[in-house]
Amino acid sequence: MSTVNTVTEQLTPAGQAIEHDSFAIIDAEVGPHAYTSAQWPVVRRMIHANADFDFNGLTDFHPQAVAAGIAAICRGGTPVVADVEMICSGLSKPRLAHFGMAAHQFISDDDVIAQARAENSTRAVQAMRKAGRLGLLEGGIVGIGNAPTALLELVRLVREEGVRPALVVGMPVGFVSAAESKDALAELAEVPWIVIRGRKGGSTLVVAALHALLSLAEAEARG
């Protein structure tokens, strides 16, 4: 039996060789780190996506984050809720479909825009609320790579309304409330999380982290 993932790897031997060579270069150049053997593949894929070794150290994990993410993926049918369409576009649909999963975002929905205008809030806040009303946050995987207000609203929903996602990948980027929103998420004990500390982040990194978890889940399911 092959020991190589067949769904979450590159589709051709040439593509697989390039990706494996990239991972080997990262392993050789990254230097010391304190991540566990389960956490490191997530961080390595994020470094691979941005060629930025700063994510060795900036990436922080709830102790149960990787196990919770793999369990949610292997459970099948777990929704992924994103703050922006870029994450949904970046995620591999065949890899999600292998686990019966689909990605959702509501940032451009007419009702979300109208409610944001009515309350003078942000579309990102209203999009998280809509995901909650649709029952997608409970037990789902939430990926936030753009909007700190989405992450702050999600933290409020967890604290005040008892929402319990299976995993939150919180990596909004920017200068206003980005670092603070991730610090707020990392204070939560109620839900597992993965964050990038500070101002750095972005949708590309959320996609990389989720692809790493999908790969780990395929390996786990293969046994």
Side-chain angles (χ1 to χ4, degrees):
M1 178 182 295
S2 172
T3 59
V4 177
N5 287 346
T6 57
V7 177
T8 58
E9 286 268 349
Q10 295 294 318
L11 296 180
T12 67
Q16 292 171 10
I18 292 170
E19 188 168 80
H20 294 172
D21 287 349
S22 295
F23 289 163
I25 291 170
I26 293 169
D27 286 341
E29 296 185 9
V30 69
H33 64 77
Y35 297 108
T36 69
S37 59
Q39 295 167 344
W40 174 242
V42 178
V43 180
R44 181 173 60 188
R45 193 171 285 266
M46 291 163 57
I47 294 171
H48 176 248
N50 283 265
D52 187 344
F53 283 99
D54 284 354
F55 297 114
N56 173 24
L58 289 179
T59 311
D60 203 358
F61 293 82
H62 182 285
Q64 301 303 318
V66 174
I70 292 172
I73 292 168
C74 289
R75 188 163 58 244
T78 300
V80 176
V81 176
D83 62 332
V84 290
E85 187 173 5
M86 189 181 300
I87 292 174
C88 299
S89 298
L91 287 169
S92 165
K93 289 180 174 57
R95 297 180 194 185
L96 291 175
H98 179 70
F99 295 98
M101 300 170 69
H104 310 266
Q105 61 83 25
F106 306 103
I107 194 78
S108 297
D109 288 7
D110 290 341
D111 58 335
V112 165
I113 296 170
Q115 196 63 29
R117 285 173 172 157
E119 297 185 13
N120 191 27
S121 63
T122 70
R123 292 185 295 151
V125 167
Q126 299 301 329
M128 279 297 119
R129 291 179 184 173
K130 181 172 182 176
R133 291 194 299 273
L134 294 174
L136 295 172
L137 296 179
E138 196 70 33
I141 296 174
V142 182
I144 297 175
N146 184 75
T149 57
L151 187 52
L152 289 170
E153 176 62 13
L154 182 65
V155 169
R156 188 195 69 78
L157 291 169
V158 169
R159 285 175 172 162
E160 299 181 12
E161 300 188 18
V163 171
R164 294 292 182 268
L167 174 69
V168 181
V169 181
M171 303 178 178
V173 61
F175 298 94
V176 178
S177 301
E180 292 84 351
S181 67
K182 291 177 279 190
D183 288 345
L185 174 64
E187 290 176 357
L188 293 181
E190 296 92 333
V191 299
W193 44 260
I194 304 173
V195 301
I196 298 169
R197 299 286 187 173
R199 292 173 168 173
K200 288 190 176 184
S203 297
T204 304
L205 292 162
V206 174
V207 170
L210 293 178
H211 278 169
L213 290 170
L214 287 164
S215 181
L216 290 169
E218 186 186 358
E220 174 99 357
R222 201 179 61 243

